[in-house]
Amino acid sequence: MEKKEVSILLIYTGGTIGMVKDYKTGALKAFNFNKLLKHIPELHQLDCNINAVSFDKPIDSSNMNTEHWKMIASIIEDNYENYNGFVVLHGSDTMSYTSSALSFMLENLSKPVIFTGSQLPIGDLRTDAKENLITAIEIAALQEDKKPVIQEVCLYFEYKLYRANRTTKVNTEHFKAFSSLNYPVLVESGVYLKVNKNVLLRRERVKSLLVQKEMDNNVVILKLFPGLNKYTLESIINTPNLKALILETFGAGNAPTEDWLFLELKKAIKKGIYIVNVTQCSGGAVIMGQYETSEHLERLQVINGKDITTESAVAKLMYMLGKKVPKDSFKAMFEDSLQGEIQ
Ligand code: ASP
């Protein structure tokens, strides 16, 4: 038998892709991973070796937390030298959060880590799981001059490969469930795989993988809305141990100019809480100072989230806080691109 040169590790965490219907209640629940593989005999036809590991208890991704992120990072770390690429099967609900987090946790990554899942379980007649899984593996196995073509954390769904930390789940029922409005698609799958080489992350030198597992979850997101009151903001700011507040602002980073908002944010900053300005629009960027309604945030030296997604901002803050980035370099580091997540 011909020896296959590329090896891929499949990591099953849970999600619809491997779920079955509980016929008593009608609800979808996770099931045994080995059964999942039986549904896709096509995997044997791929030109690579595939091994699989699974969470002991596969979960719906709504139950994901920083401990699960650590588990995924550890599996990749422990198997890094033995595989050419990794495909992580994950529920779509929080896939953008987990994959963004992994993009920061896996420092110096020079192999592909591709997240995928599906809207319909793999056993369904009309399932999108097979295409997503098979193409994600094919992309993870792509090599040029014996080096992986993809060297970053990505998300593959419905014929498109995205940079993971640029994605957002945008639809609960379309097969095209994700979008990356501020960064182009990395690979498009049609009759051929069309790789947009000029937008891929390239590592100048291959360094050893460093896994940062400490993620500090003392962060919160507050989406602004007309009518938000002082007491709500005040109680959020008084959350015990709070270290960072992501303000999802209007349009290009705008917020009410009422005094109480300025004063509460000022109080928070004085307490050492980082405030990050991220737009609640799905595309485009924060431009602080463009309107009078963001000048006060600029005066407060609020961190500019530019075109980062909220999912990526959460992950980046947890990572930077976990890394204990010093206060005097925190703002500059957040506003800079670490893994292609911000302009
Ligand atoms: N609730 C599921 C999950 O995120 C949905 C999916 O798998 O797409 O785990």
Side-chain angles (χ1 to χ4, degrees), residues 80-279:
Y80 196 67
E81 294 311 324
N82 299 330
Y83 289 89
N84 303 89
F86 302 85
V87 172
V88 184
L89 300 178
H90 191 288
S92 61
D93 289 351
T94 62
M95 198 188 292
S96 291
Y97 289 93
T98 305
S99 55
S100 295
L102 267 291
S103 78
F104 298 113
M105 295 166 84
L106 301 173
E107 295 176 11
N108 303 336
L109 181 73
S110 58
K111 296 184 179 183
V113 173
I114 317 252
F115 279 74
T116 194
S118 66
Q119 293 282 52
L120 285 175
I122 203 141
D124 256 53
L125 217 46
R126 295 177 51 250
T127 190
D128 52 332
K130 283 193 187 179
E131 199 289 316
N132 286 348
L133 175 57
I134 289 169
T135 310
I137 296 173
E138 284 204 327
I139 293 174
L142 283 180
Q143 300 258 319
E144 202 174 73
D145 302 330
K146 300 213 180 259
K147 284 198 208 96
V149 172
I150 306 294
Q151 304 183 355
E152 57 185 296
V153 181
C154 298
L155 188 156
Y156 182 80
F157 229 84
E158 187 64 2
Y159 303 110
K160 290 194 167 66
L161 183 81
Y162 308 98
R163 174 164 302 154
N165 58 30
R166 292 292 196 154
T167 61
T168 302
K169 184 171 181 183
V170 290
N171 205 295
T172 61
E173 50 192 57
H174 290 174
F175 287 143
K176 185 185 178 312
F178 290 87
S179 205
S180 163
L181 282 163
N182 287 336
Y183 201 76
V185 167
L186 309 185
V187 178
E188 258 177 275
S189 161
V191 173
Y192 305 104
L193 291 177
K194 187 167 161 268
V195 183
N196 295 323
K197 286 203 177 144
N198 53 340
V199 298
L200 302 178
L201 260 193
R202 295 307 335 149
R203 312 283 172 189
E204 308 269 287
R205 282 179 297 129
V206 176
K207 298 194 212 143
S208 348
L209 180 77
L210 261 179
V211 184
Q212 156 72 34
K213 292 189 196 132
E214 234 26 79
M215 297 292 272
D216 186 333
N217 64 2
N218 288 299
V219 308
V220 70
I221 305 167
L222 173 61
K223 180 171 183 159
L224 295 186
F225 56 91
L228 168 73
N229 67 51
K230 172 179 179 329
Y231 304 104
T232 308
L233 180 58
E234 199 174 24
S235 76
I236 289 174
I237 284 167
N238 285 329
T239 306
N241 298 325
L242 186 68
K243 299 199 182 120
L245 160 65
I246 297 170
L247 265 191
E248 267 202 2
T249 55
F250 304 122
N254 306 315
T257 49
E258 288 164 84
D259 284 348
W260 62 263
L261 188 114
F262 181 86
L263 293 173
E264 285 304 323
L265 293 181
K266 194 168 169 186
K267 246 199 298 185
I269 292 170
K270 216 163 155 216
K271 277 171 70 173
I273 298 172
Y274 296 110
I275 316 277
V276 181
N277 185 356
V278 165
T279 175

Side-chain angles (χ1 to χ4, degrees), residues 61-73:
S61 78
S62 300
N63 284 320
M64 274 282 159
N65 58 38
T66 52
E67 287 307 306
H68 298 111
W69 295 352
K70 245 196 247 180
M71 280 160 59
I72 303 170

